[in-house]
Amino acid sequence: MADPKTEEILAPLRAAVKEQGDIVRNLKAAGAPDLDVKKAVAELKLRKKVLEEKELSLAPAATMFDRAKMEDLLKRRFFIDQSFAIYGGITGQYDFGPMGCALKANLLHAWRSFFVLEEQMLEVDCSVLTPEPVLKASGHVDRFADLMVKDIGTGECFRLDHLIKAHLEKVALDKKTSEATKEECKDIVVKLDGMKKEEMSQILQKFNIRSPLTGNELTEPIEFNLMFGTQIGPSGLVKGFLRPETAQGIFVNFKRLLEFNQGRLPFAAAQIGNAFRNEISPRSGLIRVREFTMAEIEHFCDPSNKNHPKFDSVRTTPVLLYSACNQMDGKSASLTTIGEAVDSNLIANQTLGYFMARIQLFLIRIGVDEKKLRFRQHMSNEMAHYACDCWDAELLTSYGWIECVGCADRSAFDLTQHTKATGVRLAAEKKLAEPKIVNITEPVPNKAAIGKAFKKEAKGIMEVLSAMDPVTVGQLEEDLASKGEHTVSLNGADYTLTKDMVMVQTHQKTVHVEEIIPSVIEPSFGIGRIMYALFEHNFKMREGDEQRTFFSLPPVVAPLKCSVLPLSGNPEFQPFVKKLSQELTRCDVSHKVDDSSGSIGRRYARTDEIAIPFGITIDFDSLKAPNSATLRERDTMGQVRISLDELPDVVRNLSFGKTTWAEVEEKYPKFEQQETTKAA
Amino acid sequence: MADPKTEEILAPLRAAVKEQGDIVRNLKAAGAPDLDVKKAVAELKLRKKVLEEKELSLAPAATMFDRAKMEDLLKRRFFIDQSFAIYGGITGQYDFGPMGCALKANLLHAWRSFFVLEEQMLEVDCSVLTPEPVLKASGHVDRFADLMVKDIGTGECFRLDHLIKAHLEKVALDKKTSEATKEECKDIVVKLDGMKKEEMSQILQKFNIRSPLTGNELTEPIEFNLMFGTQIGPSGLVKGFLRPETAQGIFVNFKRLLEFNQGRLPFAAAQIGNAFRNEISPRSGLIRVREFTMAEIEHFCDPSNKNHPKFDSVRTTPVLLYSACNQMDGKSASLTTIGEAVDSNLIANQTLGYFMARIQLFLIRIGVDEKKLRFRQHMSNEMAHYACDCWDAELLTSYGWIECVGCADRSAFDLTQHTKATGVRLAAEKKLAEPKIVNITEPVPNKAAIGKAFKKEAKGIMEVLSAMDPVTVGQLEEDLASKGEHTVSLNGADYTLTKDMVMVQTHQKTVHVEEIIPSVIEPSFGIGRIMYALFEHNFKMREGDEQRTFFSLPPVVAPLKCSVLPLSGNPEFQPFVKKLSQELTRCDVSHKVDDSSGSIGRRYARTDEIAIPFGITIDFDSLKAPNSATLRERDTMGQVRISLDELPDVVRNLSFGKTTWAEVEEKYPKFEQQETTKAA
């Protein structure tokens, strides 16, 4: 990114972004009307996009990658393919075949070791079917929706903002359109992002927008919620949804988890599981799908202290940060360390920084190309409703930079919402540094007077008084002082309390703890997207033979660790193959025996395609004492000769990262047979 | 089960079952009407149930178990609890807390090692949301339903057969009811199982059955499908269901999997994943729930050869078999070996037998009590629509014997159904022992004549002829011979072909392969049920202290393998605790540091409750060279003293079953401090 020629080309684009970024800043600082800011931000985003696309097109690596070739390999060796293909298939749904499934299982196993076990997180496994009130409280029922319209004749659906945009852009390009109308069209397009249903409906009518496919009329705009709905139980009365994220399962279990952790903060809970989103038009392969696996962490901590005890262990981690500020200024991402970024408050707190460093370390360990990894900060206008700071780990693919891991500070949003909805206080107790004397102001009822006045309602009224919140107590005190009475509601009826029935008293109490609603730091991993990026980052061609492609996945996630190949169909090889296979199983090394009839070169090529990092060949020398075999490494195609006794443990150590190929090559004699690079 | 006194009590019950079993056999042999057989079978089932309940009540172990106490522990230490409890909860849905989740993850990891890796199965991970046509073909849309009625006033739902049964039993007990009506009621109850909607509807009217709760009228019977329905995509036109089993995902991918296996049979595919069933009234805790995890294997093999290459390795495995025959005869399950059972054709084939032995081995390895495990064969009248033989691994719990693993021969049912529905042939090619010469009879068209007669339809008609199935070719030949013409349909129109346009010829062809539709042997594991049985089988109380309960789960599945406990809050212990924790992480040993303030005895009791098998205590001797600590085993409460250097590897080997506690006790000096059995 620091190539001077490239920078020369990019300079005017960067300047254009900065110019617009400054305009946005000034508008905000001046407290300009919302719509003006919105319009300026839309223009800013557009300029950012032009800059980013240019940047990507100038990067030398980007031209090397052949997506069609990779997708062919993924399909042909059944890493992944469309679900229900023999029934015509459903867009946005994929099945993982044996190799995709093994990669996924290994990736999740690595994730669990790296996060759950190493950090002693509390992993949970919660229900997918979620009753409506839970998702009402979390905001998903109301906000997790897109507007759409349907063709009255065919029922075809269109996302409303996309439809209006396409139509108005066409109108604006039409020579017959007046300048005033053109301006109006452009203005609407910029403002679309924040428009309400009614405004859009009026635009539909004003411009007489019809179905672009049939010319038919369209329905009124419909709010299309992206959650899959269903009925729980037979009555049809309990509405439920497939969860759109796994996080809510953790929040509703907060009290149990806090108790499990003996009431102490901070602690982190984690969950791996499927989530579902009924996308209107899924696309981009694995990147935007209707069902997907997530791995989410919710780290609960004291909102007034977001330091992390292990922060020093990651302080020097270098990270490529694309801050909101840099984005507004048209600058590119810049390299710094997690420690510097937290010290300078670019990253809001240590815990957020700690997780970002850990996320990066994990991604690199499982095979992400570190040169294609950056953290992008959300700009304030794109932050989710629950977040107060958010950095996405983005991976560069042929689709551009895609968000693969979100790392958000959700503050106390979710716990507060569920507390409001259920009345169950999702809070923790924090021990005060020293005991505090506080004034408690509360209603003191005259039981006898209330009992006499309200008979069997008296008990309920007493309960209303004892549960009264501080604001209402203030009101009560004021009412009694000014009017001599105060009215309370109970089961829909009003009851007037007079001075002789209740008074308000203030007394002092020594407290040792205070109740706090924890803040939540949430790293959220999209497993399918990470897998897709892994495929792209590890798709390689052998030098000089473009037909010979392979995946250079590291052993820790490779679907299988080892292949066992008898040189030929000679029956003398069989007992050795069988024994070796048993030994590898005993060592927990997943492997594949390929005794099909192809040449060794051809079978190596086949195992390379499915990313098997190590290959053992039983040949005629294996039959003689001391029995030995060749061991080959996929990426270098180097081979060594090792005795059969030692082999299983060597492969085990290589597979689990306890030793490196370089160490093995140093220790054992090189096997010098030239491997043919052409698939024989 | 061989206790003479018990057998004396059971003898008359056994005789009663046998008597009825013989009646069923005779009716079947005599070809008696279906309803008579059904009635006799219902009576047989009733007698079997009485026998089984008596058997269980006489078993000595059953009285020892306190379910309420166990459920309290499961809830208190958050192994598992009801989902969305703060929102009032939903029946039939559970969340796994940290300990339940870790147990489940370990169990699935063990399953994957034992089945997928050891047998080199092809594991897949398929979509949950399934479009309707797939489940139409599998039979689930039509057959996976119960009839129910609703209270017209309240909407309350009742399962129709349960409702009628309860009502008629009440009528039959009423003294005012005539003998004839009583007989009619009993007769209906017996026949209910196979009744159609219309028949049940007539019974509702005839007996004027109303809501038992409100006395309100009821709706007409409604077919309630147990699948959760939803809409895929925004149009509302693509109906889908949450899968009720994972198996279908494998069947629809059969061609890809066969290809991955280079076209060869046999091979097995496997899948771990969630499935969903909208039970009308979920109950029995984890046993009947609305969402659950399954682990399924589909082993595809040649229908004419169901031998298994590894069968000899399991031949001598002892198994407790409860055959259909024994069930009809009122006998109890009997002990035999897998080899004998297959040799005598009690188990239909080697592959079924091989899997049964492997299932048993697996269940015992993860902690199932082998004395509470049996295989029960389905009787012919209870077999699922797709199965031709089925043995359930049943585990004895306080709910009785529950089916935890089904092991069915699904024959070619599913592949045939999907082939019919899609036209995609889900078949394999089998190499013939020697080439076969077959007669091929096919239509030979006269292109010129057809072209002249039908112009632009000619091409389509030629295609109809070349795709003609053998039966139609026979018809064509017959028609041409007898009438001199034959009519074919194309796009809804009829075309008459005459003798000069087409003739039928037979010629010989040498074929080397034949097409077969593989048979499927399916072991299907209900993970939640297995976990529940594991909890029951491993719930223990310390001798002499009923309050001190624990789970004796084997290390391979225990949620955490090890605890690390500093003897007290002395800060000198901290560095040792920290270093040990890091070392254990490096060795992949999941563990928990408990530095809370309780006594060691109390903290041991806490770790016992969550099934941690090994505990390390850092005490004052740990501070002196050579630094050492105590290692304690949960079940025996035995302790040894081991140097800190060796400790991580010893715990690792214990955790992964590479060494036993007895071996450790032999090698290291016993630590003789008496552990208080009372929780201090």
Side-chain angles (χ1 to χ4, degrees):
Chain A
M1 301 230 179
D3 176 41
K5 267 191 196 156
T6 307
E7 277 308 313
E8 201 176 311
I9 298 167
L10 294 175
L13 299 177
R14 292 197 192 285
V17 172
K18 176 158 171 45
E19 178 192 38
Q20 189 65 22
D22 287 341
I23 291 172
V24 170
R25 281 195 184 97
N26 292 337
L27 285 171
K28 283 188 178 173
D34 228 30
L35 267 181
D36 292 353
V37 176
K38 206 163 252 165
K39 200 167 163 177
V41 167
E43 176 65 27
L44 172 63
K45 279 188 183 169
L46 193 73
R47 293 185 183 190
K48 270 183 60 191
K49 196 159 170 248
V50 172
L51 168 62
E52 183 148 307
E53 276 168 8
K54 192 52 137 184
E55 259 184 316
L56 287 178
S57 74
L58 294 173
T63 53
M64 296 286 291
F65 176 72
D66 183 342
R67 193 200 290 158
K69 195 167 232 163
M70 184 189 80
E71 285 181 346
D72 169 68
L73 175 53
L74 289 178
K75 223 174 137 83
R76 189 160 43 79
R77 302 305 306 274
F78 199 10
F79 279 85
I80 183 163
D81 211 337
Q82 197 182 22
S83 300
F84 312 112
I86 62 171
Y87 281 86
I90 296 279
T91 46
Q93 291 195 274
Y94 289 88
D95 288 348
F96 293 99
M99 296 300 97
C101 182
L103 167 61
K104 184 178 170 189
N106 293 340
L107 197 163
L108 292 176
H109 187 69
W111 191 89
R112 189 173 268 133
S113 299
F114 193 85
F115 291 102
V116 177
L117 297 185
E118 196 163 332
E119 309 273 2
Q120 301 189 23
M121 294 175 176
L122 308 183
E123 188 184 349
V124 296
D125 181 8
C126 303
S127 287
V128 170
L129 283 167
T130 306
E132 187 173 32
V134 176
L135 293 162
K136 185 91 188 162
S138 70
H140 287 90
V141 170
D142 295 328
R143 303 194 214 184
F144 201 62
D146 287 332
L147 285 171
M148 67 165 191
V149 287
K150 287 191 191 185
D151 181 317
I152 277 180
T154 64
E156 183 98 19
C157 299
F158 304 95
R159 219 176 109 167
L160 184 54
D161 53 349
H162 292 181
L163 183 76
I164 292 177
K165 185 163 176 254
H167 183 85
L168 296 189
E169 282 171 351
K170 219 171 106 190
V171 172
L173 284 177
D174 192 333
K175 283 179 187 164
K176 287 175 284 179
T177 307
S178 73
E179 279 310 309
T181 308
K182 282 185 185 176
E183 269 312 301
E184 189 186 358
C185 288
K186 281 182 193 162
D187 189 57
I188 291 171
V189 168
V190 163
K191 290 175 187 163
L192 260 179
D193 207 10
M195 264 189 202
K196 295 227 162 55
K197 187 171 162 179
E198 292 68 33
E199 297 172 85
M200 292 211 207
S201 182
Q202 281 167 13
I203 294 166
L204 279 184
Q205 282 171 30
K206 178 164 185 185
F207 288 88
N208 189 25
I209 301 178
R210 289 163 165 262
S211 165
L213 300 180
T214 63
N216 287 340
E217 281 191 51
L218 298 166
T219 61
E220 275 294 289
I222 304 160
E223 294 243 337
F224 181 69
N225 193 294
L226 297 181
M227 294 191 293
F228 287 97
T230 191
Q231 307 293 342
I232 305 176
S235 70
L237 302 174
V238 182
K239 192 168 182 185
F241 297 98
L242 303 189
R243 62 181 177 196
E245 60 175 11
T246 67
Q248 299 305 323
I250 294 177
F251 298 135
V252 297
N253 277 305
F254 173 74
K255 268 177 82 80
R256 292 166 175 165
L257 292 167
L258 179 67
E259 199 176 314
F260 187 87
N261 205 47
Q262 300 172 284
R264 294 191 283 193
L265 285 183
F267 71 89
Q271 182 167 205
I272 298 171
N274 283 3
F276 298 79
R277 296 181 186 182
N278 201 1
E279 300 287 347
I280 293 177
S281 49
R283 61 212 141 98
S284 312
L286 271 180
I287 293 169
R288 189 165 296 278
V289 292
R290 290 195 168 125
E291 55 176 290
F292 47 94
T293 300
M294 306 179 86
E296 296 195 297
I297 294 166
E298 312 296 331
H299 178 95
F300 298 96
C301 60
D302 182 347
S304 67
N305 178 6
K306 296 184 181 176
N307 287 345
H308 196 285
K310 287 158 86 177
F311 185 73
D312 279 339
S313 68
V314 302
R315 180 171 277 284
T316 58
T317 311
V319 280
L320 187 63
L321 297 185
Y322 194 27
S323 67
C325 207
N326 277 15
Q327 292 169 61
M328 307 249 304
D329 287 346
K331 292 185 183 159
S332 50
S334 62
L335 201 62
T336 177
T337 66
I338 279 290
E340 282 167 27
V342 170
D343 291 346
S344 66
N345 286 321
L346 176 55
I347 294 174
N349 57 66
Q350 283 192 357
T351 299
L352 206 54
Y354 178 74
F355 277 116
M356 286 166 66
R358 292 282 294 170
I359 289 166
Q360 172 165 306
L361 197 57
F362 174 73
L363 291 175
I364 292 170
R365 184 174 294 186
I366 61 169
V368 160
D369 181 349
E370 58 186 313
K371 294 187 298 296
K372 296 180 177 175
L373 164 62
R374 74 177 184 194
F375 287 92
R376 190 181 72 81
Q377 189 175 30
H378 282 206
M379 297 196 294
S380 56
N381 53 294
E382 58 176 333
M383 206 97 67
H385 59 272
Y386 49 73
C388 68
D389 191 13
C390 186
W391 289 84
D392 287 339
E394 295 186 327
L395 301 178
L396 184 59
T397 72
S398 60
Y399 292 104
W401 287 97
I402 55 170
E403 174 202 343
C404 290
V405 188
C407 195
D409 186 338
R410 288 178 87 127
S411 69
F413 178 81
D414 301 274
L415 294 181
T416 306
Q417 288 296 103
H418 290 300
T419 297
K420 276 189 204 156
T422 63
V424 177
R425 289 197 67 75
L426 302 182
E429 282 194 343
K430 179 183 170 183
K431 205 178 167 192
L432 291 168
E434 46 192 275
K436 204 163 66 174
I437 293 168
V438 293
N439 291 327
I440 307 270
T441 301
E442 56 188 9
V444 180
N446 177 340
K447 281 187 194 183
I450 290 179
K452 197 175 158 196
F454 303 112
K455 306 276 175 338
K456 62 177 183 172
E457 305 302 336
K459 199 176 157 221
I461 290 167
M462 303 281 284
E463 279 166 10
V464 169
L465 288 173
S466 80
M468 204 169 254
D469 65 72
V471 176
T472 316
V473 172
Q475 191 61 50
L476 168 66
E477 188 167 23
E478 201 187 306
D479 285 355
L480 291 177
S482 62
K483 302 185 287 182
E485 59 179 48
H486 175 85
T487 303
V488 296
S489 294
L490 177 65
N491 302 327
D494 283 347
Y495 300 91
T496 300
L497 301 173
T498 55
K499 265 182 167 175
D500 60 319
M501 296 177 193
V502 63
M503 56 195 282
V504 173
Q505 281 189 342
T506 296
H507 59 97
Q508 290 191 323
K509 194 177 160 186
T510 307
V511 294
H512 299 268
V513 294
E514 64 176 336
E515 191 178 68
I516 54 170
I517 300 186
S519 267
V520 176
I521 310 284
E522 176 194 78
S524 169
F525 296 69
I527 301 301
R529 289 183 172 198
I530 293 172
M531 284 175 70
Y532 182 79
L534 276 186
F535 286 135
E536 279 210 8
H537 291 191
N538 289 280
F539 183 66
K540 305 277 167 67
M541 294 175 197
R542 292 282 177 218
E543 244 185 275
D545 185 355
E546 290 195 359
Q547 291 316 306
R548 204 165 154 185
T549 54
F550 66 103
F551 286 111
S552 61
L553 292 169
V556 63
V557 294
L560 297 167
K561 312 306 176 197
C562 184
S563 60
V564 181
L565 317 173
L567 187 66
S568 70
N570 188 326
E572 282 185 84
F573 295 146
Q574 281 311 313
F576 292 93
V577 169
K578 198 172 166 189
K579 175 136 187 280
L580 204 52
S581 176
Q582 284 167 349
E583 290 289 304
L584 289 171
T585 298
R586 192 187 51 76
C587 294
D588 299 320
V589 175
S590 60
H591 59 283
K592 182 187 173 78
V593 173
D594 184 353
D595 54 7
S596 63
S597 56
S599 73
I600 275 293
R602 188 175 184 156
R603 280 182 284 158
Y604 279 148
R606 284 183 61 84
T607 63
D608 289 347
E609 279 189 335
I610 53 174
I612 299 181
F614 306 107
I616 298 172
T617 297
I618 302 288
D619 56 20
F620 288 99
D621 283 344
S622 305
L623 308 179
K624 302 173 212 156
N627 310 104
S628 66
T630 64
L631 180 65
R632 168 189 182 267
E633 197 271 338
R634 175 197 61 208
D635 297 353
T636 60
M637 298 194 288
Q639 295 189 50
V640 294
R641 188 112 208 151
I642 307 187
S643 80
L644 287 180
D645 295 342
E646 287 175 87
L647 204 40
D649 280 328
V650 171
V651 175
R652 192 200 135 75
N653 288 335
L654 281 166
S655 302
F656 293 92
K658 310 276 176 192
T659 182
T660 65
W661 178 248
E663 285 162 1
V664 170
E665 273 193 315
E666 196 148 300
K667 185 165 173 193
Y668 296 96
K670 209 170 167 73
F671 181 71
E672 286 292 5
Q673 188 162 313
Q674 193 58 44
E675 180 181 338
T676 161
T677 51
K678 291 273 177 201
Chain B
M1 304 233 176
D3 176 40
K5 267 189 200 158
T6 307
E7 275 308 313
E8 202 176 310
I9 298 167
L10 294 175
L13 300 177
R14 292 197 191 286
V17 172
K18 174 155 171 48
E19 179 192 37
Q20 190 65 24
D22 287 341
I23 290 173
V24 171
R25 281 195 184 100
N26 291 336
L27 285 171
K28 282 188 179 170
D34 229 32
L35 268 181
D36 291 354
V37 176
K38 206 164 249 165
K39 200 167 164 180
V41 166
E43 175 65 28
L44 173 63
K45 280 188 183 168
L46 193 74
R47 293 186 183 189
K48 271 183 60 192
K49 196 163 171 239
V50 172
L51 167 62
E52 184 147 307
E53 277 168 8
K54 191 52 135 185
E55 260 184 314
L56 288 177
S57 74
L58 294 174
T63 54
M64 296 285 292
F65 175 72
D66 183 342
R67 194 200 290 159
K69 194 167 233 163
M70 184 189 82
E71 286 181 345
D72 169 68
L73 174 52
L74 289 178
K75 223 174 136 82
R76 188 161 43 81
R77 301 306 304 276
F78 199 10
F79 278 85
I80 181 160
D81 211 336
Q82 197 182 21
S83 300
F84 313 112
I86 64 170
Y87 281 86
I90 295 278
T91 46
Q93 291 195 273
Y94 288 88
D95 286 349
F96 293 99
M99 296 299 99
C101 183
L103 167 61
K104 184 178 169 188
N106 293 340
L107 197 162
L108 292 177
H109 188 68
W111 191 90
R112 189 172 268 134
S113 299
F114 192 85
F115 291 103
V116 177
L117 296 185
E118 196 164 332
E119 309 272 2
Q120 302 190 21
M121 293 175 177
L122 308 183
E123 189 183 347
V124 296
D125 182 6
C126 304
S127 288
V128 170
L129 283 167
T130 306
E132 188 173 33
V134 177
L135 293 161
K136 186 93 187 161
S138 70
H140 287 91
V141 170
D142 295 327
R143 303 194 215 185
F144 201 62
D146 288 331
L147 286 171
M148 68 165 189
V149 287
K150 286 191 191 185
D151 181 319
I152 276 180
T154 63
E156 183 99 20
C157 299
F158 304 95
R159 218 176 108 168
L160 184 53
D161 52 350
H162 292 181
L163 183 76
I164 292 178
K165 185 160 175 258
H167 184 85
L168 297 189
E169 282 171 350
K170 219 171 105 189
V171 171
L173 284 176
D174 192 333
K175 283 177 190 166
K176 287 176 282 180
T177 307
S178 72
E179 280 308 310
T181 308
K182 282 185 184 176
E183 270 311 302
E184 189 185 357
C185 289
K186 282 182 192 164
D187 189 58
I188 292 170
V189 167
V190 163
K191 291 176 186 162
L192 261 178
D193 208 10
M195 264 188 201
K196 296 226 159 59
K197 188 171 163 181
E198 292 69 31
E199 297 171 84
M200 292 210 206
S201 180
Q202 282 167 12
I203 294 166
L204 280 183
Q205 283 172 29
K206 178 164 184 184
F207 288 87
N208 190 24
I209 301 178
R210 289 163 165 264
S211 164
L213 301 179
T214 62
N216 286 341
E217 281 191 51
L218 299 166
T219 61
E220 275 293 291
I222 304 159
E223 295 242 339
F224 181 68
N225 194 295
L226 297 180
M227 294 191 293
F228 287 96
T230 192
Q231 306 293 343
I232 305 176
S235 71
L237 302 174
V238 182
K239 190 166 183 189
F241 297 98
L242 304 189
R243 62 181 176 195
E245 60 174 13
T246 66
Q248 300 305 325
I250 296 178
F251 298 136
V252 298
N253 277 306
F254 173 75
K255 269 176 81 82
R256 291 164 176 165
L257 292 167
L258 179 67
E259 199 176 317
F260 187 86
N261 205 47
Q262 300 173 284
R264 292 191 284 191
L265 286 183
F267 71 88
Q271 182 166 203
I272 298 171
N274 283 2
F276 299 79
R277 296 182 185 180
N278 200 359
E279 299 287 345
I280 293 179
S281 50
R283 61 209 141 98
S284 311
L286 271 181
I287 293 169
R288 189 165 296 279
V289 293
R290 289 195 168 124
E291 54 177 290
F292 48 94
T293 301
M294 305 178 88
E296 296 195 296
I297 295 165
E298 313 294 331
H299 177 95
F300 297 96
C301 61
D302 181 346
S304 67
N305 177 7
K306 296 183 181 176
N307 287 344
H308 196 285
K310 287 159 86 178
F311 185 72
D312 280 338
S313 69
V314 301
R315 182 171 275 283
T316 58
T317 312
V319 282
L320 187 63
L321 298 185
Y322 194 25
S323 67
C325 207
N326 277 15
Q327 291 169 63
M328 305 245 313
D329 288 347
K331 292 184 184 162
S332 50
S334 62
L335 200 64
T336 177
T337 66
I338 279 289
E340 281 167 27
V342 170
D343 290 345
S344 66
N345 286 320
L346 176 55
I347 295 172
N349 57 66
Q350 283 192 357
T351 299
L352 206 54
Y354 178 75
F355 277 117
M356 286 166 67
R358 292 283 294 170
I359 289 165
Q360 171 166 306
L361 196 58
F362 174 74
L363 291 174
I364 293 171
R365 184 175 292 186
I366 61 170
V368 159
D369 180 349
E370 56 187 312
K371 294 187 297 297
K372 296 180 178 175
L373 164 60
R374 75 176 183 193
F375 287 92
R376 191 180 72 81
Q377 188 175 29
H378 282 206
M379 298 196 293
S380 57
N381 52 294
E382 60 176 332
M383 206 96 70
H385 59 273
Y386 49 74
C388 66
D389 191 14
C390 185
W391 289 84
D392 287 340
E394 295 187 327
L395 302 178
L396 184 60
T397 72
S398 61
Y399 293 105
W401 286 97
I402 56 171
E403 175 202 342
C404 289
V405 188
C407 195
D409 186 338
R410 288 178 86 127
S411 68
F413 178 82
D414 301 274
L415 295 182
T416 306
Q417 289 296 102
H418 290 300
T419 296
K420 275 188 205 158
T422 62
V424 178
R425 291 198 66 75
L426 303 181
E429 281 192 345
K430 180 184 168 183
K431 204 178 168 196
L432 291 169
E434 47 192 276
K436 204 162 66 174
I437 294 169
V438 292
N439 290 326
I440 307 268
T441 300
E442 56 187 11
V444 180
N446 177 338
K447 283 188 192 181
I450 291 178
K452 195 176 161 197
F454 304 112
K455 308 276 173 341
K456 63 179 180 168
E457 305 303 335
K459 195 174 162 225
I461 289 167
M462 304 281 282
E463 279 167 9
V464 169
L465 287 174
S466 79
M468 203 170 256
D469 66 71
V471 175
T472 316
V473 172
Q475 191 62 50
L476 168 65
E477 188 169 23
E478 201 187 306
D479 286 356
L480 292 178
S482 61
K483 302 187 287 183
E485 59 178 49
H486 175 85
T487 304
V488 297
S489 294
L490 178 66
N491 302 328
D494 283 346
Y495 301 91
T496 299
L497 302 173
T498 54
K499 267 182 166 177
D500 61 316
M501 297 176 192
V502 62
M503 58 195 285
V504 174
Q505 280 187 343
T506 297
H507 60 98
Q508 292 191 322
K509 193 177 163 188
T510 306
V511 293
H512 299 267
V513 294
E514 62 176 338
E515 190 178 69
I516 54 170
I517 300 186
S519 265
V520 176
I521 310 283
E522 176 194 78
S524 169
F525 295 70
I527 300 302
R529 290 184 171 197
I530 293 172
M531 284 175 69
Y532 181 79
L534 275 186
F535 287 135
E536 279 210 8
H537 291 191
N538 289 280
F539 182 65
K540 304 278 166 68
M541 295 174 195
R542 291 283 178 219
E543 243 184 277
D545 186 355
E546 291 195 357
Q547 292 315 306
R548 204 165 155 187
T549 54
F550 67 104
F551 287 111
S552 61
L553 292 168
V556 62
V557 294
L560 298 166
K561 312 305 177 198
C562 185
S563 60
V564 181
L565 317 173
L567 188 65
S568 71
N570 188 324
E572 282 186 85
F573 296 147
Q574 282 310 314
F576 292 92
V577 169
K578 196 172 168 190
K579 174 136 186 281
L580 204 51
S581 175
Q582 283 167 348
E583 290 290 304
L584 289 171
T585 297
R586 192 188 49 77
C587 293
D588 299 320
V589 174
S590 60
H591 59 283
K592 181 184 172 79
V593 173
D594 184 356
D595 53 7
S596 64
S597 57
S599 72
I600 275 292
R602 189 174 181 157
R603 280 182 284 158
Y604 278 148
R606 284 183 61 85
T607 62
D608 289 346
E609 280 190 334
I610 52 173
I612 299 182
F614 307 107
I616 297 171
T617 298
I618 302 288
D619 55 22
F620 288 100
D621 283 345
S622 306
L623 308 178
K624 303 172 210 157
N627 310 106
S628 66
T630 65
L631 180 65
R632 168 189 182 268
E633 196 272 339
R634 175 197 60 208
D635 297 352
T636 60
M637 297 193 289
Q639 295 188 49
V640 294
R641 188 114 208 147
I642 307 188
S643 80
L644 287 179
D645 294 342
E646 287 174 86
L647 205 39
D649 280 328
V650 171
V651 175
R652 190 199 138 77
N653 288 334
L654 280 166
S655 301
F656 293 93
K658 310 276 178 194
T659 181
T660 65
W661 178 248
E663 285 163 1
V664 170
E665 273 194 315
E666 197 150 298
K667 185 166 173 191
Y668 297 97
K670 208 169 168 71
F671 181 68
E672 286 292 2
Q673 189 161 311
Q674 194 58 44
E675 180 181 336
T676 163
T677 53
K678 292 270 175 203

